[in-house]
Amino acid sequence: MSPARDETTPGVLLAHHLKQLKLPTVLREYDKVARECAQSGLDHPRYLLRLLELELIDRERRMVERRIRAARFPAVKSLDTFDFAAIPSLNKMLVLELARCGYILGRENVIALGNSGTGKTHIALALGLAACQKGFPVTFTTAASLVNQLLEARDERRLLRLQRELAAVKLLIVDELGYVPLSSTGAELLFEVFSQRYERGSTVVTSNLPFEDWTSVLGSERLTGALLDRLTHHVSILSLNGDSYRLKASRSRRGRAGGAEQTQASADTHDPETGEVLPT
Ligand code: ADP
Ligand code: MG
């Protein structure tokens, strides 16, 4: 064996074994941490401890990232960027309590109601993120997209599999119930999802419609009653009624722009949800 091979073999083997054992942080850090420990006179159990702690911290971070990807959030938003002062109707203490995820352990639901642009999706995303960080598998979808997925799965004879997947996720977030009226089959499939999750997992629903108007989306009064019965048995209701944050934000941008208002008028666009004119 040549001296060169003698020197390289332990490093190469170590890299191989650490990869096999799925310890990427130990592999990346062992040399640097060894030098640090030698400098500060730490013995080998402490060296090993420091390395393994780094691996654990990294592993937790990787798992949170994986859960966030699996949740399919349209954007990652947290409560840190939510301005509670902008929406006084929202019970801040309740939201902070929900972010601790106790309701997921209790298999309870959350319903956020309010007009467009008041932060319902932001709050739902923030609760989803908090759940990912606490270790719960999360799925985010809109009511329209969920119903489409269910109809497609039914046509392709894989409805049962999708229903099982949806029933198994610890937190299912169904955003925007109410913007699109559902077909009667669509409404029944959605009802089945809520029904199968009843007391088995948590569901967060956001809607621009008060409960009394849900029939207009679900079609049948009987179905709406049965769905609300299950959804609201163990529930926290968040009320977000107020001015649209989007509109307020764009108005204050326009205010800052000052005299530019006139010249920008031709570039106005419409809020897709409310039809309100939004300056760009
Ligand atoms: P909704 O789902 O009720 O229509 P969104 O959650 O989509 O409203 O909010 C519209 C936009 O305004 C988003 O970009 C959101 O992050 C932001 N937003 C709404 N309310 C607040 C708030 N109170 N603090 C910070 N950002 C907000
Ligand atoms: Mg929304």
mmCIF file of all heavy atoms in Angstrom, residues 77-87 90 112-125 175-176 179 206-208 240 243-249 271 273-274, ligand 1:
data_model
loop_
_atom_site.group_PDB
_atom_site.id
_atom_site.type_symbol
_atom_site.label_atom_id
_atom_site.label_comp_id
_atom_site.label_asym_id
_atom_site.label_seq_id
_atom_site.Cartn_x
_atom_site.Cartn_y
_atom_site.Cartn_z
ATOM 1 N N LYS A 77 -45.862 32.288 4.254
ATOM 2 C CA LYS A 77 -46.116 33.491 5.048
ATOM 3 C C LYS A 77 -46.217 33.108 6.513
ATOM 4 O O LYS A 77 -46.700 32.020 6.833
ATOM 5 C CB LYS A 77 -47.426 34.148 4.607
ATOM 6 C CG LYS A 77 -47.366 34.635 3.174
ATOM 7 C CD LYS A 77 -48.312 35.750 2.877
ATOM 8 C CE LYS A 77 -48.107 36.164 1.431
ATOM 9 N NZ LYS A 77 -48.960 37.255 1.023
ATOM 10 N N SER A 78 -45.763 34.029 7.368
ATOM 11 C CA SER A 78 -45.821 33.723 8.798
ATOM 12 C C SER A 78 -46.553 34.844 9.538
ATOM 13 O O SER A 78 -46.840 35.893 8.972
ATOM 14 C CB SER A 78 -44.406 33.562 9.353
ATOM 15 O OG SER A 78 -43.817 34.838 9.452
ATOM 16 N N LEU A 79 -46.810 34.596 10.813
ATOM 17 C CA LEU A 79 -47.484 35.614 11.617
ATOM 18 C C LEU A 79 -46.564 36.801 11.879
ATOM 19 O O LEU A 79 -47.025 37.890 12.197
ATOM 20 C CB LEU A 79 -47.959 35.014 12.943
ATOM 21 C CG LEU A 79 -49.114 34.011 12.833
ATOM 22 C CD1 LEU A 79 -49.525 33.531 14.220
ATOM 23 C CD2 LEU A 79 -50.314 34.626 12.111
ATOM 24 N N ASP A 80 -45.241 36.586 11.750
ATOM 25 C CA ASP A 80 -44.294 37.694 11.984
ATOM 26 C C ASP A 80 -44.569 38.872 11.059
ATOM 27 O O ASP A 80 -44.321 40.013 11.409
ATOM 28 C CB ASP A 80 -42.846 37.232 11.739
ATOM 29 C CG ASP A 80 -42.438 36.151 12.714
ATOM 30 O OD1 ASP A 80 -43.126 36.012 13.740
ATOM 31 O OD2 ASP A 80 -41.448 35.442 12.440
ATOM 32 N N THR A 81 -45.070 38.568 9.853
ATOM 33 C CA THR A 81 -45.291 39.650 8.889
ATOM 34 C C THR A 81 -46.772 40.068 8.852
ATOM 35 O O THR A 81 -47.171 40.814 7.978
ATOM 36 C CB THR A 81 -44.864 39.218 7.472
ATOM 37 O OG1 THR A 81 -45.596 38.036 7.124
ATOM 38 C CG2 THR A 81 -43.375 38.940 7.393
ATOM 39 N N PHE A 82 -47.553 39.562 9.807
ATOM 40 C CA PHE A 82 -48.978 39.916 9.818
ATOM 41 C C PHE A 82 -49.208 41.092 10.761
ATOM 42 O O PHE A 82 -48.814 41.051 11.925
ATOM 43 C CB PHE A 82 -49.835 38.717 10.235
ATOM 44 C CG PHE A 82 -51.299 38.929 9.969
ATOM 45 C CD1 PHE A 82 -51.818 38.746 8.686
ATOM 46 C CD2 PHE A 82 -52.150 39.339 10.975
ATOM 47 C CE1 PHE A 82 -53.169 38.968 8.425
ATOM 48 C CE2 PHE A 82 -53.505 39.552 10.722
ATOM 49 C CZ PHE A 82 -54.000 39.362 9.437
ATOM 50 N N ASP A 83 -49.866 42.127 10.262
ATOM 51 C CA ASP A 83 -50.131 43.333 11.044
ATOM 52 C C ASP A 83 -51.533 43.208 11.662
ATOM 53 O O ASP A 83 -52.534 43.470 10.995
ATOM 54 C CB ASP A 83 -50.025 44.540 10.092
ATOM 55 C CG ASP A 83 -50.436 45.839 10.763
ATOM 56 O OD1 ASP A 83 -50.545 45.853 12.004
ATOM 57 O OD2 ASP A 83 -50.649 46.823 10.032
ATOM 58 N N PHE A 84 -51.578 42.783 12.912
ATOM 59 C CA PHE A 84 -52.876 42.564 13.568
ATOM 60 C C PHE A 84 -53.652 43.871 13.741
ATOM 61 O O PHE A 84 -54.883 43.868 13.756
ATOM 62 C CB PHE A 84 -52.685 41.870 14.919
ATOM 63 C CG PHE A 84 -52.419 40.392 14.787
ATOM 64 C CD1 PHE A 84 -51.120 39.909 14.738
ATOM 65 C CD2 PHE A 84 -53.465 39.489 14.698
ATOM 66 C CE1 PHE A 84 -50.858 38.552 14.606
ATOM 67 C CE2 PHE A 84 -53.225 38.122 14.562
ATOM 68 C CZ PHE A 84 -51.914 37.655 14.516
ATOM 69 N N ALA A 85 -52.923 44.978 13.872
ATOM 70 C CA ALA A 85 -53.592 46.272 14.075
ATOM 71 C C ALA A 85 -54.462 46.628 12.871
ATOM 72 O O ALA A 85 -55.439 47.373 13.002
ATOM 73 C CB ALA A 85 -52.544 47.355 14.312
ATOM 74 N N ALA A 86 -54.126 46.079 11.701
ATOM 75 C CA ALA A 86 -54.872 46.406 10.485
ATOM 76 C C ALA A 86 -56.242 45.736 10.453
ATOM 77 O O ALA A 86 -57.094 46.108 9.655
ATOM 78 C CB ALA A 86 -54.064 46.002 9.256
ATOM 79 N N ILE A 87 -56.455 44.755 11.321
ATOM 80 C CA ILE A 87 -57.722 44.020 11.276
ATOM 81 C C ILE A 87 -58.232 43.768 12.702
ATOM 82 O O ILE A 87 -58.082 42.687 13.276
ATOM 83 C CB ILE A 87 -57.575 42.722 10.414
ATOM 84 C CG1 ILE A 87 -58.886 41.936 10.310
ATOM 85 C CG2 ILE A 87 -56.432 41.823 10.827
ATOM 86 C CD1 ILE A 87 -59.724 42.347 9.157
ATOM 87 N N LEU A 90 -60.174 40.674 14.162
ATOM 88 C CA LEU A 90 -59.522 39.366 14.338
ATOM 89 C C LEU A 90 -58.997 39.224 15.769
ATOM 90 O O LEU A 90 -58.307 40.121 16.273
ATOM 91 C CB LEU A 90 -58.368 39.233 13.329
ATOM 92 C CG LEU A 90 -57.575 37.929 13.371
ATOM 93 C CD1 LEU A 90 -58.449 36.736 13.037
ATOM 94 C CD2 LEU A 90 -56.393 37.995 12.401
ATOM 95 N N ALA A 112 -61.921 30.579 8.961
ATOM 96 C CA ALA A 112 -61.657 32.011 8.870
ATOM 97 C C ALA A 112 -62.646 32.619 7.887
ATOM 98 O O ALA A 112 -62.687 32.216 6.717
ATOM 99 C CB ALA A 112 -60.223 32.262 8.421
ATOM 100 N N LEU A 113 -63.442 33.567 8.382
ATOM 101 C CA LEU A 113 -64.465 34.180 7.538
ATOM 102 C C LEU A 113 -64.208 35.679 7.409
ATOM 103 O O LEU A 113 -63.799 36.325 8.373
ATOM 104 C CB LEU A 113 -65.851 33.991 8.169
ATOM 105 C CG LEU A 113 -66.334 32.549 8.384
ATOM 106 C CD1 LEU A 113 -67.669 32.558 9.118
ATOM 107 C CD2 LEU A 113 -66.458 31.807 7.059
ATOM 108 N N GLY A 114 -64.442 36.191 6.218
ATOM 109 C CA GLY A 114 -64.281 37.637 6.048
ATOM 110 C C GLY A 114 -64.240 38.005 4.585
ATOM 111 O O GLY A 114 -64.069 37.134 3.717
ATOM 112 N N ASN A 115 -64.383 39.306 4.339
ATOM 113 C CA ASN A 115 -64.404 39.723 2.941
ATOM 114 C C ASN A 115 -63.009 39.651 2.316
ATOM 115 O O ASN A 115 -62.019 39.371 3.002
ATOM 116 C CB ASN A 115 -65.049 41.113 2.795
ATOM 117 C CG ASN A 115 -64.512 42.098 3.793
ATOM 118 O OD1 ASN A 115 -64.649 41.884 5.001
ATOM 119 N ND2 ASN A 115 -63.868 43.131 3.315
ATOM 120 N N SER A 116 -62.983 39.919 1.033
ATOM 121 C CA SER A 116 -61.756 39.721 0.258
ATOM 122 C C SER A 116 -60.634 40.660 0.695
ATOM 123 O O SER A 116 -60.875 41.819 1.017
ATOM 124 C CB SER A 116 -62.083 39.962 -1.211
ATOM 125 O OG SER A 116 -60.919 39.849 -1.966
ATOM 126 N N GLY A 117 -59.421 40.129 0.724
ATOM 127 C CA GLY A 117 -58.244 40.958 0.987
ATOM 128 C C GLY A 117 -57.994 41.261 2.450
ATOM 129 O O GLY A 117 -57.175 42.116 2.786
ATOM 130 N N THR A 118 -58.672 40.559 3.357
ATOM 131 C CA THR A 118 -58.538 40.878 4.777
ATOM 132 C C THR A 118 -57.497 40.011 5.496
ATOM 133 O O THR A 118 -57.315 40.134 6.702
ATOM 134 C CB THR A 118 -59.899 40.721 5.490
ATOM 135 O OG1 THR A 118 -60.448 39.446 5.142
ATOM 136 C CG2 THR A 118 -60.868 41.815 5.076
ATOM 137 N N GLY A 119 -56.841 39.119 4.762
ATOM 138 C CA GLY A 119 -55.761 38.337 5.365
ATOM 139 C C GLY A 119 -56.108 36.901 5.703
ATOM 140 O O GLY A 119 -55.356 36.228 6.416
ATOM 141 N N LYS A 120 -57.210 36.378 5.174
ATOM 142 C CA LYS A 120 -57.613 34.997 5.485
ATOM 143 C C LYS A 120 -56.561 34.000 4.998
ATOM 144 O O LYS A 120 -56.154 33.100 5.726
ATOM 145 C CB LYS A 120 -58.972 34.659 4.847
ATOM 146 C CG LYS A 120 -60.112 35.534 5.315
ATOM 147 C CD LYS A 120 -61.425 35.136 4.687
ATOM 148 C CE LYS A 120 -61.446 35.299 3.179
ATOM 149 N NZ LYS A 120 -61.314 36.711 2.741
ATOM 150 N N THR A 121 -56.145 34.173 3.729
ATOM 151 C CA THR A 121 -55.149 33.243 3.181
ATOM 152 C C THR A 121 -53.827 33.390 3.928
ATOM 153 O O THR A 121 -53.170 32.394 4.238
ATOM 154 C CB THR A 121 -54.962 33.495 1.670
ATOM 155 O OG1 THR A 121 -56.226 33.312 1.025
ATOM 156 C CG2 THR A 121 -53.968 32.532 1.059
ATOM 157 N N HIS A 122 -53.466 34.634 4.255
ATOM 158 C CA HIS A 122 -52.221 34.866 5.001
ATOM 159 C C HIS A 122 -52.244 34.101 6.332
ATOM 160 O O HIS A 122 -51.291 33.399 6.676
ATOM 161 C CB HIS A 122 -52.065 36.377 5.229
ATOM 162 C CG HIS A 122 -50.720 36.777 5.766
ATOM 163 N ND1 HIS A 122 -50.008 37.830 5.261
ATOM 164 C CD2 HIS A 122 -49.961 36.250 6.767
ATOM 165 C CE1 HIS A 122 -48.863 37.946 5.929
ATOM 166 N NE2 HIS A 122 -48.823 37.001 6.858
ATOM 167 N N ILE A 123 -53.361 34.221 7.057
ATOM 168 C CA ILE A 123 -53.485 33.533 8.351
ATOM 169 C C ILE A 123 -53.457 32.010 8.153
ATOM 170 O O ILE A 123 -52.790 31.286 8.898
ATOM 171 C CB ILE A 123 -54.799 33.956 9.067
ATOM 172 C CG1 ILE A 123 -54.713 35.426 9.510
ATOM 173 C CG2 ILE A 123 -55.128 33.051 10.234
ATOM 174 C CD1 ILE A 123 -53.770 35.691 10.677
ATOM 175 N N ALA A 124 -54.157 31.535 7.115
ATOM 176 C CA ALA A 124 -54.179 30.085 6.860
ATOM 177 C C ALA A 124 -52.772 29.583 6.530
ATOM 178 O O ALA A 124 -52.343 28.523 7.004
ATOM 179 C CB ALA A 124 -55.137 29.769 5.713
ATOM 180 N N LEU A 125 -52.030 30.366 5.731
ATOM 181 C CA LEU A 125 -50.655 29.987 5.392
ATOM 182 C C LEU A 125 -49.771 29.987 6.640
ATOM 183 O O LEU A 125 -48.940 29.089 6.823
ATOM 184 C CB LEU A 125 -50.073 30.964 4.355
ATOM 185 C CG LEU A 125 -50.614 30.838 2.930
ATOM 186 C CD1 LEU A 125 -50.187 32.047 2.089
ATOM 187 C CD2 LEU A 125 -50.125 29.540 2.282
ATOM 188 N N ASP A 175 -58.637 26.603 1.192
ATOM 189 C CA ASP A 175 -58.752 28.051 1.058
ATOM 190 C C ASP A 175 -59.865 28.391 0.061
ATOM 191 O O ASP A 175 -60.161 27.610 -0.845
ATOM 192 C CB ASP A 175 -57.397 28.589 0.549
ATOM 193 C CG ASP A 175 -57.239 30.096 0.774
ATOM 194 O OD1 ASP A 175 -57.911 30.641 1.649
ATOM 195 O OD2 ASP A 175 -56.421 30.711 0.054
ATOM 196 N N GLU A 176 -60.467 29.533 0.243
ATOM 197 C CA GLU A 176 -61.394 30.110 -0.737
ATOM 198 C C GLU A 176 -62.629 29.273 -1.025
ATOM 199 O O GLU A 176 -62.980 29.046 -2.183
ATOM 200 C CB GLU A 176 -60.663 30.384 -2.073
ATOM 201 C CG GLU A 176 -59.576 31.414 -1.937
ATOM 202 C CD GLU A 176 -58.931 31.790 -3.262
ATOM 203 O OE1 GLU A 176 -59.228 31.147 -4.284
ATOM 204 O OE2 GLU A 176 -58.130 32.723 -3.254
ATOM 205 N N TYR A 179 -65.824 31.241 -3.561
ATOM 206 C CA TYR A 179 -65.652 32.044 -4.776
ATOM 207 C C TYR A 179 -66.271 31.366 -5.992
ATOM 208 O O TYR A 179 -66.725 32.021 -6.918
ATOM 209 C CB TYR A 179 -64.170 32.343 -5.026
ATOM 210 C CG TYR A 179 -63.635 33.412 -4.098
ATOM 211 C CD1 TYR A 179 -62.612 33.151 -3.199
ATOM 212 C CD2 TYR A 179 -64.193 34.691 -4.107
ATOM 213 C CE1 TYR A 179 -62.153 34.134 -2.339
ATOM 214 C CE2 TYR A 179 -63.740 35.670 -3.252
ATOM 215 C CZ TYR A 179 -62.718 35.393 -2.371
ATOM 216 O OH TYR A 179 -62.274 36.365 -1.531
ATOM 217 N N THR A 206 -61.129 28.642 4.772
ATOM 218 C CA THR A 206 -61.358 30.085 4.692
ATOM 219 C C THR A 206 -62.491 30.332 3.705
ATOM 220 O O THR A 206 -62.642 29.607 2.719
ATOM 221 C CB THR A 206 -60.119 30.881 4.213
ATOM 222 O OG1 THR A 206 -60.033 30.811 2.783
ATOM 223 C CG2 THR A 206 -58.835 30.372 4.827
ATOM 224 N N SER A 207 -63.288 31.343 4.003
ATOM 225 C CA SER A 207 -64.402 31.668 3.108
ATOM 226 C C SER A 207 -64.740 33.149 3.176
ATOM 227 O O SER A 207 -64.650 33.769 4.233
ATOM 228 C CB SER A 207 -65.629 30.835 3.474
ATOM 229 O OG SER A 207 -66.706 31.195 2.624
ATOM 230 N N ASN A 208 -65.129 33.670 2.038
ATOM 231 C CA ASN A 208 -65.591 35.062 1.986
ATOM 232 C C ASN A 208 -67.085 35.147 2.312
ATOM 233 O O ASN A 208 -67.639 36.235 2.374
ATOM 234 C CB ASN A 208 -65.331 35.658 0.590
ATOM 235 C CG ASN A 208 -66.019 34.870 -0.506
ATOM 236 O OD1 ASN A 208 -66.029 33.632 -0.468
ATOM 237 N ND2 ASN A 208 -66.612 35.537 -1.470
ATOM 238 N N LEU A 240 -62.596 37.932 10.106
ATOM 239 C CA LEU A 240 -61.771 38.977 9.482
ATOM 240 C C LEU A 240 -62.674 39.860 8.640
ATOM 241 O O LEU A 240 -62.857 39.618 7.443
ATOM 242 C CB LEU A 240 -60.675 38.354 8.598
ATOM 243 C CG LEU A 240 -59.581 37.546 9.309
ATOM 244 C CD1 LEU A 240 -59.938 36.092 9.390
ATOM 245 C CD2 LEU A 240 -58.256 37.718 8.590
ATOM 246 N N ASP A 243 -61.540 46.470 5.992
ATOM 247 C CA ASP A 243 -61.128 46.921 4.664
ATOM 248 C C ASP A 243 -60.125 45.949 4.080
ATOM 249 O O ASP A 243 -59.379 45.304 4.811
ATOM 250 C CB ASP A 243 -60.476 48.306 4.771
ATOM 251 C CG ASP A 243 -61.474 49.347 5.261
ATOM 252 O OD1 ASP A 243 -62.687 49.122 5.082
ATOM 253 O OD2 ASP A 243 -61.023 50.357 5.836
ATOM 254 N N SER A 244 -60.119 45.865 2.765
ATOM 255 C CA SER A 244 -59.142 45.017 2.090
ATOM 256 C C SER A 244 -57.741 45.573 2.317
ATOM 257 O O SER A 244 -57.483 46.742 2.084
ATOM 258 C CB SER A 244 -59.443 44.978 0.588
ATOM 259 O OG SER A 244 -58.296 44.533 -0.106
ATOM 260 N N TYR A 245 -56.841 44.712 2.801
ATOM 261 C CA TYR A 245 -55.457 45.123 3.059
ATOM 262 C C TYR A 245 -54.765 45.464 1.744
ATOM 263 O O TYR A 245 -53.983 46.392 1.665
ATOM 264 C CB TYR A 245 -54.721 43.989 3.771
ATOM 265 C CG TYR A 245 -53.384 44.395 4.336
ATOM 266 C CD1 TYR A 245 -53.291 44.926 5.621
ATOM 267 C CD2 TYR A 245 -52.214 44.232 3.602
ATOM 268 C CE1 TYR A 245 -52.070 45.287 6.153
ATOM 269 C CE2 TYR A 245 -50.993 44.603 4.128
ATOM 270 C CZ TYR A 245 -50.926 45.123 5.406
ATOM 271 O OH TYR A 245 -49.711 45.482 5.922
ATOM 272 N N ARG A 246 -55.108 44.698 0.703
ATOM 273 C CA ARG A 246 -54.541 44.953 -0.631
ATOM 274 C C ARG A 246 -54.851 46.372 -1.069
ATOM 275 O O ARG A 246 -54.009 47.113 -1.523
ATOM 276 C CB ARG A 246 -55.183 44.023 -1.660
ATOM 277 C CG ARG A 246 -54.646 42.631 -1.676
ATOM 278 C CD ARG A 246 -55.183 41.887 -2.896
ATOM 279 N NE ARG A 246 -55.163 40.466 -2.666
ATOM 280 C CZ ARG A 246 -56.212 39.753 -2.332
ATOM 281 N NH1 ARG A 246 -57.396 40.316 -2.227
ATOM 282 N NH2 ARG A 246 -56.097 38.470 -2.123
ATOM 283 N N LEU A 247 -56.154 46.699 -0.909
ATOM 284 C CA LEU A 247 -56.626 47.996 -1.370
ATOM 285 C C LEU A 247 -55.968 49.110 -0.563
ATOM 286 O O LEU A 247 -55.504 50.107 -1.105
ATOM 287 C CB LEU A 247 -58.143 48.043 -1.200
ATOM 288 C CG LEU A 247 -58.905 48.948 -2.149
ATOM 289 C CD1 LEU A 247 -58.641 48.547 -3.580
ATOM 290 C CD2 LEU A 247 -60.393 48.866 -1.844
ATOM 291 N N LYS A 248 -55.897 48.875 0.782
ATOM 292 C CA LYS A 248 -55.289 49.880 1.654
ATOM 293 C C LYS A 248 -53.823 50.081 1.283
ATOM 294 O O LYS A 248 -53.336 51.200 1.186
ATOM 295 C CB LYS A 248 -55.377 49.426 3.123
ATOM 296 C CG LYS A 248 -56.544 50.040 3.835
ATOM 297 C CD LYS A 248 -56.423 49.900 5.332
ATOM 298 C CE LYS A 248 -56.495 48.459 5.774
ATOM 299 N NZ LYS A 248 -56.785 48.258 7.174
ATOM 300 N N ALA A 249 -53.128 48.945 1.053
ATOM 301 C CA ALA A 249 -51.704 49.021 0.728
ATOM 302 C C ALA A 249 -51.499 49.774 -0.580
ATOM 303 O O ALA A 249 -50.608 50.615 -0.693
ATOM 304 C CB ALA A 249 -51.118 47.608 0.631
ATOM 305 N N ASP A 271 -59.066 44.301 -8.932
ATOM 306 C CA ASP A 271 -58.886 43.181 -8.016
ATOM 307 C C ASP A 271 -59.720 42.020 -8.568
ATOM 308 O O ASP A 271 -60.923 42.167 -8.745
ATOM 309 C CB ASP A 271 -59.361 43.584 -6.617
ATOM 310 C CG ASP A 271 -59.106 42.504 -5.573
ATOM 311 O OD1 ASP A 271 -59.296 41.307 -5.886
ATOM 312 O OD2 ASP A 271 -58.718 42.860 -4.466
ATOM 313 N N GLU A 273 -60.851 39.475 -7.242
ATOM 314 C CA GLU A 273 -61.862 38.923 -6.351
ATOM 315 C C GLU A 273 -63.016 39.891 -6.125
ATOM 316 O O GLU A 273 -64.170 39.479 -6.037
ATOM 317 C CB GLU A 273 -61.214 38.540 -5.019
ATOM 318 C CG GLU A 273 -60.376 37.281 -5.154
ATOM 319 C CD GLU A 273 -59.295 37.211 -4.093
ATOM 320 O OE1 GLU A 273 -59.372 37.949 -3.105
ATOM 321 O OE2 GLU A 273 -58.374 36.431 -4.299
ATOM 322 N N THR A 274 -62.695 41.184 -6.009
ATOM 323 C CA THR A 274 -63.759 42.120 -5.655
ATOM 324 C C THR A 274 -64.204 42.954 -6.845
ATOM 325 O O THR A 274 -65.269 43.549 -6.812
ATOM 326 C CB THR A 274 -63.278 43.115 -4.582
ATOM 327 O OG1 THR A 274 -62.175 43.842 -5.143
ATOM 328 C CG2 THR A 274 -62.831 42.415 -3.327
HETATM 329 P P1 ADP B 1 -57.805 37.145 1.674
HETATM 330 O O1 ADP B 1 -57.363 35.733 1.585
HETATM 331 O O2 ADP B 1 -58.635 37.450 2.871
HETATM 332 O O3 ADP B 1 -58.473 37.624 0.403
HETATM 333 P P2 ADP B 1 -54.979 37.667 1.722
HETATM 334 O O4 ADP B 1 -54.536 36.880 2.905
HETATM 335 O O5 ADP B 1 -54.696 37.062 0.380
HETATM 336 O O6 ADP B 1 -56.512 38.064 1.836
HETATM 337 O O7 ADP B 1 -54.342 39.111 1.816
HETATM 338 C C1 ADP B 1 -54.080 39.913 0.661
HETATM 339 C C2 ADP B 1 -52.641 40.427 0.722
HETATM 340 O O8 ADP B 1 -52.504 41.343 1.803
HETATM 341 C C3 ADP B 1 -51.635 39.325 0.977
HETATM 342 O O9 ADP B 1 -50.448 39.654 0.320
HETATM 343 C C4 ADP B 1 -51.435 39.360 2.486
HETATM 344 O O10 ADP B 1 -50.157 38.889 2.847
HETATM 345 C C5 ADP B 1 -51.606 40.834 2.787
HETATM 346 N N1 ADP B 1 -52.236 41.069 4.083
HETATM 347 C C6 ADP B 1 -53.554 41.020 4.357
HETATM 348 N N2 ADP B 1 -53.805 41.356 5.625
HETATM 349 C C7 ADP B 1 -52.611 41.638 6.174
HETATM 350 C C8 ADP B 1 -52.187 42.067 7.470
HETATM 351 N N3 ADP B 1 -53.083 42.300 8.449
HETATM 352 N N4 ADP B 1 -50.855 42.264 7.691
HETATM 353 C C9 ADP B 1 -49.975 42.048 6.694
HETATM 354 N N5 ADP B 1 -50.300 41.654 5.446
HETATM 355 C C10 ADP B 1 -51.601 41.452 5.171
#
